[in-house]
Amino acid sequence: MPVLFDGGCRWALQGKNVTYGIELDDENRLRHAYFGARLPRVTDLPKADSYHFPHESPGGPGVRYEYPAWGSMYYREPCLKATFADGVRDTRLVYEDHKIEEGEVPRLIVGLRDELYSLRVSLHYRIFEEQDLVERYAVLENVGGEGITLEQALSAVWHVPPGSSYRLTHLAGQFAGETQVYREEISPGKKVLESRRGITSHHANPFFALDWGDATEDAGEVWFGALGWSGSWKISVDHDVRGHPQVSGGINDFDFSWPLEAGASFTTPFFVGGYTSDGFGAASRSLHRYVMDHLSPTKGPRPVLYNSWEATLFDVNEEGQAALAEKAASIGVELFVLDDGWFGERRDDRRGLGDWWVNRKKFPDGLDPLIEKVKALGMSFGLWVEPEMVNPDSDLYRQHPEWIYRFPHREPTESRNQLLLNLAKEEVREHLFEVLDGLLTGHDISFIKWDMNRPFSEPGWPEAPPGRQREVWVRHVWGVYEVLERLRERHPGVAFETCASGGGRVDLGILRLTDQAWTSDNTDPYDRLFIQEGFSIAYPARAMMCWVADPEKWVRNREASLSYRFHSAMMGSLGIGADLMRWTEAELEEARELVEKYKQIRDTVQEGDQYRLLSPREGRTTAVQYVSRDRSRSVLFALCGVRRFTEPEPRIFPRGLEPDALYNITVEHEPVTGAALMRRGVEINLEGELSSVMVEITEVRAG
Ligand code: DGJ
């Protein structure tokens, strides 16, 4: 049974290898009891307050509330902070009821309620047994007649066993340098990872991992989690001198205020947490499988795409795109994507956003002739849009200047010459849905790249009462989700890519509604190894769109061979973003072979288990291996970076193979067992800077 109840006061969620336990204390408050290696019985749980120091104040550090509310003597990061109608700002949650729901993903719901006021909190838990993950969110409900204001409403807090030598792993970055891996010892105090930008952001990604300071890719206890929210978020790692780390996360409480009227409820985003004793690699693989098997709206491998952005920038037209499409089809591309520049008066980034009608100077007969051409070439067609945006120089803005976020008497700040539409407004959401639905209904489009190229500023909503204006932070994200949900329902065959100037909106929330992410505008194949490694910490290769680009491009310049660029991009979902018109016949031929090769291995790359064998952060060689779920096929990419001094060639030790099975490996002549490959390793000769190799390991099947 995945959800155990002792009939009194204890519950345990059982994964294949983990147990998550909670318990009521003598005052009927819900405490965290345990998160770690699987315990067979609910009665095995340690007493929830066993870490409590006797002379501590009631809310002292050793008291591990399962959903702490600010009140009484609670001084740590709360999940909930509320103000009641009479001005009381103190919440005390006690147990009310619980419900266990069986099903494919079993669920436990524990109902809490304030001792006096009409605030009910339902804590939802879903246990993903195979992935050893617990998904949590809370529903806050005003069950009385008077208003309540929520000032902090996080999704969950994760407690880990007491200890003083914890290390935090997190992902931080910048535009064109997203998802860099950071690791640091945590000391008493609070470390806040967050975005206040209204989107997930390039600068930090809502993921964390804690370990004892000694976990490796393959071994060691790791507690980890990722948040499903695509707006301003916060993950706070709160640690005290006596060693009680806790990690709280959810919608950022900065500038947050939510009036909860009588009868209304507020549902927080979900926060997924996991535990493993098998190191960081296992933590990532369990998140990957969760995304692929449960979260992602579609299954199956992603097509090889071509995107015109780096080749033509805004200078798109029917003839030029048709010529690119021919080249793309000739090397085996399956999906041709027309990027920015096809609409309104879009000549550059100063105009046109908001005017989603086809520019007839560039496409005299509309998009259909190009789409027909693309289809005749055997590809499907995709289109770029940036629906949340408007340029002041656009018909839409001239008609509806009141549709943007703004404060009266303040000049709205432009970024990339654009302003943000207020998706809290129903008419704006309706307009976006109609425009996009119109495009998808009127044309044979099977893919939308949904871009978002500026964060929030002046988040005002002058038409709303002042007490409700701060809702925009949340309502904007809900608005994006709603439009995506409606489009997906109406056009089930259309796939979506999330993009925000590269990887500025990548999180579990958006991956619930999109099929893949544009990882970064940095398409340099060596820089990408670092960005892709960070991406892989939390998100699967299937969702990681990687383009083969030209050495000279708009973000970064570095010469690298075509095969190196391909190998770097083949580690995720493959795309081509180069100017194919400038490629020689020999380059096109080589690309054709590599695309064909990718198609043969993509099931393993996109749907298999990923092993980070050598990190670009730790030496000159990066090696990443993918193993099919039945372990019969594997592919390994090894890429050399910048050589320093006389570093020796590292031996590479594959993982995840069947020890007793016999495998053919493309760099050796004789078949060899999985055990041998994993223990004695493989010698790979990389012939110098920016050289690379792809190694295939295939089980020798009897008969
Ligand atoms: C930012 C994206 O990251 C690029 O790939 C491209 O689509 C441009 N926007 C277009 O404006």
Side-chain angles (χ1 to χ4, degrees), residues 309 339-340 384 416 449 451 453 499 501-502 518 521 547 554:
W309 173 245
D339 208 278
D340 200 346
W384 177 96
R416 209 196 189 203
K449 175 176 175 182
D451 205 346
N453 283 305
C499 171
S501 305
W518 179 223
D521 271 356
W547 298 349
W554 67 300

Side-chain angles (χ1 to χ4, degrees), residues 626-671:
Y626 306 79
V627 182
S628 65
R629 294 196 185 189
D630 67 359
R631 298 176 181 222
S632 67
R633 282 163 298 130
S634 175
V635 56
L636 186 162
F637 294 94
L639 296 94
C640 182
V642 180
R643 259 179 197 271
R644 284 168 303 183
F645 312 114
T646 50
E647 283 178 274
E649 201 75 63
R651 223 179 155 72
I652 296 179
F653 294 88
R655 298 272 182 274
L657 302 172
E658 204 58 69
D660 296 331
L662 208 55
Y663 293 92
N664 280 321
I665 172 164
T666 44
V667 288
E668 294 186 18
H669 298 300
E670 298 288 321

Side-chain angles (χ1 to χ4, degrees), residues 331-372:
I331 60 170
V333 164
E334 296 157 312
L335 166 64
F336 182 87
V337 184
L338 169 60
D339 208 278
D340 200 346
W342 59 269
F343 53 90
E345 294 298 335
R346 189 80 165 162
R347 294 194 290 283
D348 48 37
D349 64 13
R350 288 194 287 280
R351 69 207 87 227
L353 287 175
D355 298 341
W356 301 109
W357 40 266
V358 182
N359 182 308
R360 293 283 172 159
K361 280 178 242 134
K362 299 180 178 189
F363 298 91
D365 300 308
L367 290 179
D368 285 343
L370 176 64
I371 296 177
E372 287 314 314

Side-chain angles (χ1 to χ4, degrees), residues 674-685:
L677 287 174
M678 293 190 286
R679 291 195 197 121
R680 63 136 161 95
V682 181
E683 205 168 290
I684 287 176
N685 275 326

